[in-house]
Amino acid sequence: MGYYEAAQHAGDTGTALADLVLATVPTEPSTARAAAAPPAATIEDARRRLQEAVERRRPELARCRTLSQIGLAKLMLATGAVDEAVALAERALVAAESIRSRRVAVELAHLDGLTERHADRAEVQVLRGRLAVARLA
C-alpha cells in the first residue's frame, strides 16, 4: 500500500473525526437541537488533520486533496467558522473543476446542504451559486 502515507492517514482520521462533529449538526435550519456537541479538542484535531492532509498530499493525488479540502470546509461551516469555510470551499471548487469524480460531486452537494444555515450571508450566497454551477458541469 504505497499510497498510504502520513497525508493519507491524516485525511482518513481527520475525515472520521469530522464525521463525528458533523453528526451533531442539525440538518435543517429550523431544527431546534442537535445531538450533544463534540469536545472542542475533537473539532480542533479534525481541523488539524484535514489541514495536514491538504498540505502534504502529493500533486498526483489531486482528488484526495480536493476531498480533504471539502471535508475541511464542511467542518468549518458546521462549527460556525463561515468565512474560513467559504475560502476553503472556493479553493476546493477551483481544484474540483479538473476532477471528474462522483464522490467529489456528492461531497460538494453535502457542503451545499450545510450552507443553508448561513444562507443569509452574502458570501455564502455567492458560494451557493458557484456550487450550483459546479453541479451542472
Side-chain angles (χ1 to χ4, degrees):
M1 290 195 347
Y3 75 92
Y4 201 85
E5 58 191 15
Q8 182 70 36
H9 181 72
D12 290 348
T13 55
T15 297
L17 289 168
D19 285 347
L20 292 173
V21 173
L22 291 169
T24 68
V25 176
T27 56
E28 297 295 325
S30 61
T31 303
R33 140 175 156 53
T42 301
I43 296 168
E44 180 55 28
D45 195 19
R47 188 207 58 74
R48 182 185 55 76
R49 289 171 187 255
L50 287 168
Q51 185 63 44
E52 178 183 348
V54 169
E55 292 170 357
R56 296 182 70 181
R57 293 275 189 202
R58 295 190 318 260
E60 64 271 19
L61 299 175
R63 177 180 170 270
C64 292
R65 182 183 307 101
T66 302
L67 287 167
S68 292
Q69 286 175 311
I70 296 167
L72 187 54
K74 289 176 6 184
L75 176 68
M76 294 296 90
L77 195 59
T79 57
V82 178
D83 293 335
E84 184 178 357
V86 169
L88 289 162
E90 293 286 348
R91 288 194 295 274
L93 277 167
V94 169
E97 288 174 354
S98 62
I99 298 170
R100 297 292 168 247
S101 164
R102 174 81 174 131
R103 185 162 170 220
V104 168
V106 166
E107 292 302 315
L108 287 172
H110 186 215
L111 174 65
D112 187 39
L114 290 170
T115 64
E116 290 179 27
R117 296 178 62 211
H118 307 283
D120 59 327
R121 296 183 59 160
E123 66 274 23
V124 173
Q125 292 171 8
V126 171
L127 175 61
R128 294 188 85 192
R130 291 206 54 213
L131 287 164
V133 169
R135 273 195 306 276
L136 297 174

